[in-house]
Amino acid sequence: MPNSPQPASDAGFVAPAAAVGELIGRAIVDAFGDAHADAPPVLRPSTHADYQANGALPLAKIVGQKPREVADAIVANLDLDGIATVEIAGPGFLNITLDDAYLASAVTALVADSRLGVPTPATLETVVADYSSPTVTKEMHVGHLRTTIIGDALVRTLDFVGHRTVRQNHYGDWGTSFGMLIEHLDGARTRGEVSLDDLNEFYRAANDRFTTDADFATRARSRVVALQSGDANTLAMWREFVSEAHRHNVAVYDRLGVLLTDEDLRPESAYNDTLEEVAADLEQSGVAVVDQGALCVFIEGYEAPLIIRKSDGGYTYGTTDLAAVRYRVDALGATRLLYVVDARQSQHLTQVFRAAERAGWLAPPARAEHVVFGSVLDASGRPLKSRSGDSPKLTDLLDEAVERAAAIVAEKNPDLPEAERAAVARAVGIGAIKYSDLSNDRVKDYVFDFARMLAFEGNTGPYLQYAHARIRSLFRRAEVDAVVSLDAAVTISEPAERALALTLFGFGDAVLAVADASAPHKLCTYLFDVAQAFTTFYEACPVLRAESDERRASRLVLCAATAAILERGLSLLGIEAPPRM
């Protein structure tokens, strides 16, 4: 049985919006009873006030009163003295304006809070994330970019929120293509031509022989049987091939700076010994039936079934995926399974999930989610290809990004020491690729454009990194060694100060949107808003040359809160924030 979600511990610092929302929720209970305790209002930023709550409108339908009357009852039971003022607008909207002193004290608390205002969820879960999952027949290419980057950002965020995460790198290391590759490797070894340095070229050569040489194709099919039956020589070459492919992949993970390690590997071959049992259980329970010699699960709404065992006795990817579901729920205790897989696998995964549900292997509270994403395109709107027409190797894209970033960094800050300049170039180049990907709604395609993603203006990774570096420069000039030393009281007197403070308090909502809805682009949008609000503040409110020591210290704390949120937010996206650029 899966582990039940665990109650979370109490959160520490509560951001102003959350605190006000709690108070409105209590006022609703006081006015209309405990039955409405589970329907708290949603506070949203407003052009008419700091926040607007629309809870009176849906509540009015439930209690059978006019929205304005409901709003009046809420306000009558609402005590916001010293926190905010509230006005009723339109049919029953609550317009809420925070008190400046309360807002200022909350900024001070934000800086001291290790969670930066991110609330701990009421329920903590075990989340198993299936992502990256390259096939080891080829080197990682652009097709593996989104799954790896999105999956890494989700895991980092879920960890920070407080959930237990288990990373699963479902390597494709089994299947008919390995018969072809192993036979080609054996022949190359006989001819003294063994070289696995370029896996793509090796695969291309093996595939060419498979399609043009009938004898080779026959021998390759026999190799599949030998591999599945455990032939020692065939297994040895298979292990050699998998090991070499893994060496290539580890180098890419290291360059990308993602969390995946060898401990996260759970390849397809790991489930081989359980496939017969999976098929037998499905057949005995009646979930799967034999049709034209094959064992199939028929899913309502789909003409083609999910094939569990082929008529020749072989098992399929669907069988392996079902074995993985059962393992992740039973052995790992998953209550939430995330599959960061591209849109083309939607039908397959839906059938797997439904089959697992019918078999009882995926039962509440456990559930599975397909974290779908679109394609990476070139400027013409076609799938991104290299000059040779293949999917570009990830190593080539990363090399070019760092090379271009190095030229930009050298131009902007030629005085940086060489080693530091190289480190900054890596952070900027890799960060630019990641941010460009994550800042787009993952379900959509996006255009891969080095010039745009490396720009220091607009919604880009370098723009956010530069905003953070500019604040760290302020600290150095102010001779402030660490953010924790900034313990001055905050005062808010200028519109730009107020706007920045309010923006900072959206961090918790943005982080939870990533954790709950698997939506990294919402955190990207939020961080861009923070950087823009800081830029406006920086231009309107002198910091080091403020009109008084008190105002200078107060603005440094605002800067500290901004830097902390930018750095933490970027880290949740897997992006470094260099102190100097």
Side-chain angles (χ1 to χ4, degrees):
M1 291 297 292
N3 292 342
S4 296
Q6 298 299 309
S9 58
D10 291 338
F13 168 73
V14 179
V20 172
E22 263 185 44
L23 292 174
I24 296 176
R26 291 177 196 166
I28 289 174
V29 171
D30 290 343
F32 299 101
D34 291 340
H36 306 294
D38 294 332
V42 176
L43 267 66
R44 305 184 188 280
S46 172
T47 56
H48 306 291
D50 293 336
Y51 303 104
Q52 187 175 86
N54 65 350
L57 279 69
L59 186 55
K61 296 179 180 178
I62 298 174
V63 299
Q65 297 181 21
K66 294 180 179 179
R68 188 86 183 193
E69 293 173 348
V70 172
D72 286 333
I74 294 173
V75 172
N77 287 276
L78 184 59
D79 182 9
L80 290 177
D81 287 348
I83 298 176
T85 58
V86 58
E87 295 179 349
I88 301 174
F93 295 112
L94 302 183
N95 287 341
I96 300 155
T97 302
L98 296 176
D99 181 81
D100 284 347
Y102 174 72
L103 188 57
S105 65
V107 173
T108 304
L110 183 70
V111 176
D113 176 34
S114 62
R115 295 181 62 82
L116 297 172
V118 177
T120 303
T123 300
L124 294 179
E125 301 201 69
T126 294
V127 184
V128 172
D130 180 328
Y131 64 106
S132 192
S133 307
T135 175
V136 297
T137 56
K138 300 180 182 179
E139 291 184 50
M140 290 179 70
H141 53 75
V142 69
H144 302 111
L145 179 66
R146 302 209 71 185
T147 173
T148 306
I149 290 175
I150 294 170
D152 187 63
L154 296 181
V155 166
R156 288 173 183 270
T157 304
L158 289 161
D159 274 341
F160 179 69
V161 166
H163 298 291
R164 171 180 173 254
T165 62
V166 183
R167 301 182 290 270
Q168 293 282 275
N169 195 353
H170 192 74
Y171 260 31
D173 69 338
W174 204 251
T176 55
S177 59
F178 278 94
M180 174 184 75
L181 293 166
I182 291 168
E183 183 62 28
H184 186 58
L185 177 63
D186 197 23
R189 174 172 289 147
T190 300
R191 297 188 301 272
E193 301 172 354
V194 179
S195 175
L196 293 178
D197 291 338
D198 190 325
L199 292 175
N200 290 351
E201 181 57 38
F202 191 92
Y203 181 87
R204 187 180 297 109
N207 191 60
D208 286 346
R209 290 189 68 192
F210 188 83
T211 56
T212 60
D213 186 336
D215 288 340
F216 175 82
T218 299
R219 295 197 306 272
R221 294 187 184 97
S222 297
R223 282 287 187 182
V224 176
V225 176
L227 178 63
Q228 293 177 343
S229 62
D231 175 71
N233 182 52
T234 302
L235 278 173
M237 285 187 284
W238 171 76
R239 291 191 185 99
E240 180 182 350
F241 201 96
V242 170
S243 176
E244 180 63 19
H246 180 58
R247 183 181 68 81
H248 284 266
N249 293 342
V250 167
V252 174
Y253 293 145
D254 183 61
R255 294 286 305 280
L256 273 175
V258 297
L259 297 176
L260 289 170
T261 67
D262 286 355
E263 294 181 359
D264 306 317
L265 282 176
R266 186 73 183 177
E268 291 175 2
S269 58
Y271 300 100
N272 286 339
D273 293 341
T274 67
L275 300 184
E276 184 177 350
E277 179 185 346
V278 166
D281 287 352
L282 290 171
E283 187 170 14
Q284 290 170 10
S285 66
V287 173
V289 296
V290 176
D291 183 73
Q292 299 182 37
L295 184 64
C296 307
V297 178
F298 287 88
I299 304 296
E300 184 178 355
Y302 294 92
E303 182 176 347
L306 179 67
I307 298 177
I308 304 301
R309 186 179 59 233
K310 295 183 290 187
S311 58
D312 63 3
Y315 297 107
T316 68
Y317 292 120
T319 325
T320 303
D321 286 335
L322 282 168
V325 169
R326 192 166 67 165
Y327 168 78
R328 291 165 183 178
V329 174
D330 291 348
L332 300 180
T335 53
R336 184 182 178 194
L337 288 81
L338 301 181
Y339 287 75
V340 188
V341 181
D342 73 50
R344 292 171 295 179
Q345 297 298 316
S346 292
Q347 176 174 321
H348 171 73
L349 286 177
T350 298
Q351 289 183 300
V352 167
F353 297 161
R354 291 186 183 175
E357 289 167 357
R358 285 170 54 183
W361 300 338
L362 192 60
R367 72 275 187 204
E369 303 167 27
H370 181 193
V371 183
V372 66
F373 56 85
S375 300
V376 183
L377 308 177
D378 62 19
S380 66
R382 299 185 181 91
L384 188 66
K385 299 290 184 182
S386 65
R387 292 179 180 176
S388 65
D390 297 323
S391 295
K393 294 181 183 179
L394 268 186
T395 51
D396 292 342
L397 292 179
L398 300 181
D399 286 344
E400 184 170 355
V402 173
E403 182 180 341
R404 287 172 177 255
I408 296 171
V409 172
E411 180 182 353
K412 288 186 173 293
N413 195 348
D415 296 330
L416 274 179
E418 183 176 350
E420 185 177 1
R421 187 165 65 243
V424 171
R426 285 193 298 273
V428 171
I430 304 300
I433 287 180
K434 288 186 174 184
Y435 190 86
S436 179
D437 190 302
L438 295 170
S439 61
N440 289 276
D441 188 335
R442 60 173 169 77
V443 302
K444 299 178 180 178
D445 301 338
Y446 79 94
V447 174
F448 193 95
D449 181 354
F450 275 123
R452 189 195 64 79
M453 67 176 60
L454 283 164
F456 274 63
E457 302 83 25
N459 188 13
T460 68
Y463 174 72
L464 298 183
Q465 290 170 318
Y466 183 70
H468 169 265
R470 186 161 56 174
I471 299 172
R472 295 294 294 270
S473 174
L474 272 175
F475 293 161
R476 287 191 296 271
R477 284 184 282 151
E479 298 182 349
V480 176
D481 294 328
V483 171
V484 292
S485 68
L486 297 172
D487 55 2
V490 175
T491 59
I492 293 177
S493 59
E494 297 293 334
E497 292 174 321
R498 196 171 208 291
L500 176 58
L502 281 171
T503 305
L504 295 176
F505 294 124
F507 186 57
D509 288 340
V511 170
L512 292 183
V514 179
D516 296 343
S518 300
H521 73 283
K522 293 188 177 181
L523 178 56
C524 294
T525 299
Y526 167 75
L527 293 176
F528 180 55
D529 290 343
V530 169
Q532 287 189 305
F534 174 76
T535 298
T536 300
F537 157 81
Y538 185 76
E539 293 173 352
C541 304
V543 177
L544 300 185
R545 297 183 180 181
E547 54 269 33
S548 68
D549 290 342
E550 291 77 11
R551 189 62 56 81
R552 179 179 186 271
S554 170
R555 289 174 180 170
L556 278 171
V557 175
L558 269 173
C559 292
T562 305
I565 282 177
L566 286 174
E567 184 173 8
R568 173 63 70 179
L570 287 170
S571 75
L572 296 181
L573 299 173
I575 298 172
E576 294 180 54
R580 296 201 297 178
M581 290 175 64

